Structures are given as C-alpha cells and as structure tokens.
C-alpha cells in the first residue's frame, strides 16, 4: 500500500500507526486532556514528550507553557510561550499566545513586555477585547491614566458587561477623582450580580464613591453589606466606624472600630479611629449630677 494519498496532483502525507508524528499527536492529545483535568504535572510530562518528537507543534508548546505556569514555574512558562510563538503559523495560534504573554507578563509586573504583547494582539485582532484590556491595565500601571481609560472603554465596547474590565475601570476612575463616573460604573457592575452574590469589593467601591460625594448614610449602608460579605477585612470596619461617627451613631461606630482593632491591632490608623470613637462615645454619656 502506498504511504501517500493522491488527490489530483497533490500528495498528502499519511502517518502510519506508530510513526513519530502519530506518537507526537497522541501524546499531545493526552497532555491537553490532562491539563483540562487540572493534572498539570501529567500534562507537562506528556506535552514535553510530544514536543521532543515534534518541535514545531505549536499547540503542544502552548499547553506545555500553561502547565508550567499552573505549577508556579513562571519564567519557564514565559520562555516556552516565546518558543511557541516562533513556530506559530496560524493567526489563531498567534492570537492565543500573545494574549497569554500579555496576561502573564502583567501578572509578573513586567509592564513593558505586557504592553508589547497587547499591541501585537490588537494589531492581529482589534475586535478582541482582551488586547485592549491588557493594554489599558499596562498603561495604568505605567501611570498613563487617560490612555488607560480610553483602552478600557474600547475593551468594554467589545465586551460591554465584562465584570473584570468594569472593576478595573471603576478603580481607575476612583483614582483619577472621577467620582460620579466611578459610582456609575460600580453601580453598573453591581447590577450584574444578584443582591445575595454582589462581591464585597464592589460594595466597598460603591461605598467609597458615595462617601466622596458626601452621601454618608448610603455609603455606610453599602459598607455594612460589604463587611457582612467579607467579615475579616479590618480596613472595611475602620471605614465603617468613620462613617458611623459622621452619622452621629456612636454606638455603631464603636462596635465597628472595636472589630477593626480586633482584626488589625497594630494598625495606627485603626487605633486612631478607635480612640476618636471612644472619646465621642464618652462625651455623649450623661454627666453625673450631685444634689
């Protein structure tokens, strides 16, 4: 039997069972399956063997890099992704690799490298929100706030209700002092959850924006929900104590301040608000009268 399947004038190679390419493909599939089962050590072993048989297998190299990352081998993962890029001969592969490089470099604080990857990703696939989100985040870390905001808005154009991007945008708006916009973004983000599942971080973000706008009672109410969701955050309790004190509720302020001290006993700001609340509470007590 011929080893070539003839289609007109073209000859398509056919891999015999047990051939090098067949073994590589089998190992690659087994490695990807192990990765999807979160058995990263087995995935690494299978994929490394597949690469040794076929060094040009981009997908094996990409999944191998992801397996390394999941096992904490950060630098090795980045190197493997860069090697995979050298063999990436399809647009889809290049897009996936640049996205992964951007995200991983960002996670490692390698902002300039993340920016390079994001620019390449945007050039290849401008309709993908990931490139704009990565670049926006990188520019923010580089102090380019206005450019970062423009990129995050672009990312939201392609993925309007993306919770991660909305979270980034709300925090950036807060940092830039765009409080009204920040509150609107936090509120939009909050509506994407049910009341029972709205994260503490979102409730806290809304509380900060409301407090900055002078809406102290509403801010305290949002923060009460935040501490109920995340009861081990001393900084939340400290802010709640400050808000309750502004509302004139010394008892609630003292309870919140006490909890803040319990969670962060060595924090100077927490100690200070506790003293302020206690002094206010004592001043409220009726003075003894002697007749």
């Amino acid at each position: 039997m011929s080893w070539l399947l003839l289609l007109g004038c073209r000859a398509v190679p056919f891999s015999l069972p047990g051939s090098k390419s067949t073994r590589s493909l089998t190992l690659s599939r087994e490695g990807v399956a192990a990765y999807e089962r979160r058995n990263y050590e087995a995935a690494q072993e299978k994929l490394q063997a597949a690469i040794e048989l076929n060094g040009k297998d981009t997908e094996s190299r990409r999944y191998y890099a992801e397996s390394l990352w999941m096992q904490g081998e950060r630098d090795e993962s980045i190197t493997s992704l860069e090697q995979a890029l050298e063999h990436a001969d399809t647009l889809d592969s290049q897009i996936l690799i640049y996205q992964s490089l951007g995200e991983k470099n960002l996670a490692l604080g390698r902002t300039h490298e993340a920016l390079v990857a994001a620019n390449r990703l945007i050039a290849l696939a401008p309709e993908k929100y990931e490139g704009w989100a990565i670049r926006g985040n990188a520019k923010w870390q580089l102090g380019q706030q206005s450019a970062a905001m423009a990129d995050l808005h672009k990312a939201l154009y392609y993925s309007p209700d993306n919770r991660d991007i909305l979270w980034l945008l709300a925090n950036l708006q807060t940092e830039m002092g765009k409080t009204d916009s920040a509150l609107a973004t936090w509120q939009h983000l909050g509506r994407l959850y049910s009341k029972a599942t709205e994260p503490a971080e979102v409730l806290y973000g809304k509380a900060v924006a409301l407090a900055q706008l002078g809406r102290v009672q509403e801010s305290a109410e949002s923060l009460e929900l935040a501490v109920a969701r995340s009861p081990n955050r001393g900084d939340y309790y400290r802010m709640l104590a400050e808000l309750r004190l502004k509302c004139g509720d010394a008892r609630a302020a003292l309870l919140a301040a006490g909890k803040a001290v319990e969670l962060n006993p060595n924090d100077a700001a927490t100690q200070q608000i506790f003293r302020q609340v206690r002094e206010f509470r004592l001043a409220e007590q009726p003075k003894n009268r002697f007749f």
Side-chain angles (χ1 to χ4, degrees):
M1 178 184 293
S2 172
W3 290 10
L4 299 176
L5 175 63
L6 299 179
L7 297 176
C9 296
R10 295 182 61 194
V12 180
F14 177 79
S15 297
L16 286 177
S19 70
K20 195 173 181 179
S21 59
T22 301
R23 293 200 308 274
S24 173
L25 182 59
T26 300
L27 286 165
S28 180
R29 287 173 176 170
E30 291 174 353
V32 172
Y35 178 86
E36 291 175 346
R37 293 194 305 270
R38 299 185 180 181
N39 188 348
Y40 302 120
E41 187 175 350
Q44 178 184 342
E45 182 181 341
K46 295 283 187 181
L47 292 163
Q48 186 173 13
I51 293 167
E52 289 172 357
L53 290 170
N54 180 8
K56 295 183 179 181
D57 185 351
T58 305
E59 285 303 283
S60 289
R61 286 186 177 276
R62 186 169 68 82
Y63 273 98
Y64 177 69
E66 299 295 343
S67 299
L68 290 171
W69 181 268
M70 297 305 294
Q71 295 178 89
E73 299 181 45
R74 307 306 200 202
D75 291 333
E76 295 84 352
S77 176
I78 296 287
T79 299
S80 295
L81 281 171
E82 291 170 345
Q83 291 171 346
L85 192 58
E86 294 174 5
H87 300 284
D89 55 1
T90 68
L91 180 61
D92 287 344
S93 293
Q94 293 171 13
I95 288 171
L96 289 170
I97 293 169
Y98 277 121
Q99 180 181 332
S100 189
L101 280 169
E103 292 168 347
K104 288 175 173 50
N105 278 307
L106 204 56
L108 294 174
R110 299 171 181 173
T111 315
H112 290 284
E113 291 85 346
L115 192 59
V116 170
N119 282 331
R120 291 296 301 139
L121 179 55
I122 291 170
L124 291 171
E127 75 287 351
K128 283 183 68 68
Y129 75 86
E130 291 91 346
W132 299 102
I134 294 168
R135 194 171 79 172
N137 200 340
K139 286 183 176 179
W140 183 10
Q141 292 186 29
L142 290 170
Q144 302 172 21
Q145 293 177 322
S146 297
M149 183 174 291
D151 280 346
L152 292 177
H153 277 297
K154 192 75 171 181
L156 283 173
Y157 174 80
Y158 291 112
S159 186
D161 290 335
N162 188 293
R163 295 173 179 178
D164 292 335
I165 301 170
L166 286 166
W167 188 87
L168 286 171
L169 180 61
N171 278 285
L172 176 58
Q173 290 167 330
T174 300
E175 182 180 293
M176 295 178 69
K178 297 181 178 295
T179 311
D180 288 306
S181 298
L183 179 58
T185 304
W186 285 121
Q187 289 172 332
H188 177 57
L189 180 55
R191 286 191 290 271
L192 299 178
Y193 299 88
S194 68
K195 284 189 176 181
T197 63
E198 190 173 2
E201 294 80 5
V202 176
L203 292 161
Y204 175 76
K206 283 197 286 189
V208 170
L210 287 163
Q212 290 175 346
L213 291 170
R215 296 161 62 177
V216 180
Q217 183 61 39
E218 292 173 80
S219 175
E221 291 169 0
S222 184
L223 202 52
E224 289 278 10
L225 294 174
V227 297
R229 298 273 199 284
S230 189
N232 295 319
R233 291 292 300 267
D235 55 332
Y236 287 10
Y237 278 105
R238 186 184 70 226
M239 181 178 173
L240 181 59
E242 294 170 350
L243 292 169
R244 287 306 184 195
L245 190 59
K246 288 179 180 179
C247 292
D249 190 343
R251 182 176 178 278
L254 188 60
L255 288 172
K259 188 66 177 178
V261 169
E262 178 187 327
L263 292 168
N264 292 330
N266 299 319
D267 181 66
T270 299
Q271 292 286 351
Q272 182 179 358
I273 188 62
F274 181 76
R275 287 193 297 270
Q276 290 174 354
V277 171
R278 188 171 57 183
E279 290 168 4
F280 183 84
R281 178 72 167 156
L282 289 171
E284 267 197 334
Q285 300 298 319
K287 295 180 179 179
N288 290 327
R289 295 179 181 274
F290 297 95
F291 297 92

